[in-house]
């Protein structure tokens, strides 16, 4: 079982609408949580990163939240644009001696329609 | 994609053939990584390297090999022992001294297809 579960798998919304993507994790001991945006056929690009003590982080129209007690995170996209169409990947890092233990969710595929 | 390049963008492999995927970075990062991405699955780590002339197996290293002769370069060879190589391959790099919050920067990827 994957240690990082994302929902929904896919989502279609109309341009200008808001949406929220979910990420649940079991990774332990927790170090940090990242959200990446991946356009089709491209590499992922970092949107936000949160540590245990941070419960919200914004990057423009993207706002990520973290509840470390329930091991849940969400990514809220406000006033969606066509360019937001992409996969959004939740990545949870475990504390490790070399900071290399990253666990990737399968992603949520977002389609924004005009 | 930052300062990381991958080539080729598409690669076709015949049965029993070894193929090599290129990854180059000009970010002066010590750490480099290779991931495999399959539909419906999260990225899986194949190999990583913290410094030149040193590399470690990731979760799915079987059927793959790497080298790290230069700081800027981390090529991945998909050998004939890898029976299901069709996937999207992503290379990443990171400043090893940036600590736990240091970001990985990804290349644009190489799509490998089997003929």
């Amino acid at each position: 079982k994957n240690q990082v579960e994302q929902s929904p798998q896919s989502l279609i919304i109309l341009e200008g609408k808001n949406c929220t993507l979910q990420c649940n994790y079991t990774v332990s001991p927790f170090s940090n949580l990242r959200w990446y945006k991946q356009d089709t056929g491209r590499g992922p690009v970092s949107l936000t990163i949160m540590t245990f003590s941070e419960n919200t982080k914004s990057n423009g129209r993207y706002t990520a939240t973290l509840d470390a007690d329930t091991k849940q995170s969400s990514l809220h996209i406000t006033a969606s644009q066509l360019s937001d169409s992409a996969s959004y990947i939740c990545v949870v890092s475990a504390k490790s001696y070399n900071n290399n233990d990253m666990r990737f969710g399968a992603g949520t595929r977002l389609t924004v329609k005009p | 994609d930052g300062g990381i390049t991958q080539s080729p963008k598409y690669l076709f492999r015949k049965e029993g053939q070894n193929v090599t995927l290129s990854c180059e970075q000009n970010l002066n990062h010590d750490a480099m990584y290779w991931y495999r991405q399959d539909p419906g699955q999260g990225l899986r780590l194949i190999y990583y390297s913290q410094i030149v002339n040193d590399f470690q197996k990731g979760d799915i290293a079987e059927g793959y090999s790497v080298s790290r002769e230069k700081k800027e370069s981390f090529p991945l060879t998909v050998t004939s022992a890898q029976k299901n190589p069709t996937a999207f391959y992503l290379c990443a790099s990171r400043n090893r001294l940036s600590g736990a919050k240091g970001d990985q920067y990804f290349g644009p990827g190489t799509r490998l297809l089997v003929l």
Side-chain angles (χ1 to χ4, degrees), chain A residues 32 34 38 42-43 46 100 102, chain B residues 1 33 37 100 102-104:
Chain A
N32 58 70
R34 292 175 168 84
Q38 184 178 21
R42 308 284 288 178
S46 180
N100 284 324
M102 300 172 72
Chain B
D1 300 329
Y33 309 80
Q37 187 174 37
D103 263 336
Q104 286 194 6

Side-chain angles (χ1 to χ4, degrees), chain B residues 5 8 11 17 20 26 28 38 41-42 47 60 65 77 83 85 88-90 93 98 103 106 108-109:
Chain B
T5 58
L11 185 59
Q17 185 182 39
T20 297
N26 61 6
N28 199 33
D38 294 281
Q41 297 189 40
Y47 268 98
I60 55 165
S65 66
T77 296
K83 298 307 180 187
F88 190 53
Y89 290 86
L90 286 161
S93 73
S98 62
D103 263 336
F106 286 85

